[in-house]
Amino acid sequence: AAKAKAKPKARTKLPPPALNIAEKDGFGVMQVAASDAAAFIAAWKIGNGAKNETTRTVADKPLFTLLIFRGCKADADGKCDIVADFVINRPDGTVNEDNKGVVVWNKAAPADPKKPMIGDGALGYGVDSEGPFGDYRVVATVTDKVAGTTVTTEQTLTIAPALAAPEVK
C-alpha cells in the first residue's frame, strides 16, 4: 500500500499590507512614495509615474510621500480644499514626526472629478547614518474640507543603512 504524504505545515499568516488607497463617498486618495518627487511628478504628467515609485531607500537618501486624489467637492467659488495630517511611526512604533494641515489642493476643482490628480507638495523623509533602520509607517489622514469627507491611507517605507564606502589608503 502507498504511504500517505505528510501534510505540509500550515504557514503562519502575515498581516495584510496596510492599504495605501482609500475611498469614501466618491472621494479617493492614493499615497505613493518616490525617491525623487520632481521626477515622479514629471513622469506622472506623461502617464508613467509608476516607474519612479519606490518604498525603499538607504540612509541619507530621502523618500517623498505624494498624495493622488480624485472626486473632491467644489465650494461655491469652484474650488476644492483638501488638507492632510501625516504621522510617521518609527520601526519601534513610536511617533517620529507629526505634520498637520498640509495643503494638498486649495484651488479650482479639476475639470474631470474622476481623473486622478497629484496633490501639491510632497512630504520628504529620511534618516542619517545613525538610523534607526527598518520599516517606517506613514499614515495620511486626508480631508476634503468642502465635502467634510476624511479618508486614511498608510504606507510602509523601508530605510536601510547605506553601503559603506571602501576605505581610501
Side-chain angles (χ1 to χ4, degrees), residues 7-84:
K7 282 188 176 176
K9 283 187 178 176
R11 291 186 180 167
T12 38
K13 275 192 169 180
L14 292 172
L19 287 181
N20 69 327
I21 298 173
E23 191 162 352
K24 181 178 175 188
D25 299 332
F27 176 58
V29 175
M30 179 169 68
Q31 184 184 146
V32 297
S35 56
D36 183 336
F40 180 90
I41 292 167
W44 167 268
K45 288 179 179 173
I46 59 168
N48 206 3
K51 77 178 182 103
N52 289 312
E53 202 176 328
T54 183
T55 57
R56 299 179 168 281
T57 192
V58 295
D60 299 317
K61 302 250 188 228
L63 280 175
F64 296 89
T65 293
L66 300 103
L67 297 174
I68 297 169
F69 72 92
R70 70 171 184 196
C72 63
K73 185 174 169 112
D75 65 12
D77 296 326
K79 284 175 50 179
C80 284
D81 188 0
I82 304 169
V83 295

